[in-house]
Amino acid sequence: MPRKRDIEIKSWHAVPPPEVCPLCGRAIPPDQRDLHHFIPKSRGGRETVPLHRICHRQIHALFSEAELEQSYSTTKQLLTDPAIRKFVAWVRKKPPGYYDGTRRSRRRLG
């Protein structure tokens, strides 16, 4: 008969898998998690998707709410934009907890 100390104890608690940012593909740390409305709330959007804070801020720095509603209402559509593709190529090399300030796009100024 095996002794109690030799029996492997299995936990009933399963650790949930980490959330993955659909834009950059990196794991999202809890302190860097933002919920993004692909169709802005001001335009009737209800569904949200978790994104890295830096990815979320970059989307809103580049596009107006009207552009998000009309042209960029999915991840696939966002990735067709050259500025977003360039950003994603850059941010994929960073660690999951990386955050840096976001600058507004020059085309949105004015």
Side-chain angles (χ1 to χ4, degrees):
M1 183 153 180
R3 294 183 173 203
K4 283 188 177 182
R5 69 173 187 246
D6 296 334
I7 298 173
E8 184 179 338
I9 299 172
K10 294 186 181 185
S11 175
W12 57 269
H13 174 71
V15 177
E19 288 182 299
V20 175
C21 179
L23 198 61
C24 69
R26 300 176 302 145
I28 305 172
D31 66 330
Q32 293 294 318
R33 183 179 183 266
D34 274 356
L35 291 177
H36 173 65
H37 289 85
F38 276 117
I39 298 174
K41 278 176 62 174
S42 63
R43 300 189 174 258
R46 294 174 186 232
E47 294 182 30
T48 60
V49 62
L51 295 175
H52 273 105
R53 179 162 292 131
I54 193 169
C55 296
H56 188 219
R57 298 250 171 120
Q58 185 66 26
I59 290 169
H60 286 286
L62 291 173
F63 306 113
S64 67
E65 290 191 356
E67 289 174 311
L68 287 172
E69 178 188 25
Q70 295 166 4
S71 303
Y72 301 108
S73 59
T74 66
T75 305
K76 199 180 249 187
Q77 289 172 333
L78 279 169
L79 291 171
T80 63
D81 183 75
I84 288 289
R85 279 196 311 246
K86 182 179 175 184
F87 168 77
V88 168
W90 172 78
V91 84
R92 275 191 178 145
K93 299 172 190 169
K94 305 295 181 197
Y98 178 80
Y99 181 75
D100 190 16
T102 305
R103 293 182 195 96
R104 261 200 186 279
S105 169
R106 291 180 194 262
R107 72 184 188 99
R108 288 224 33 218
L109 294 175

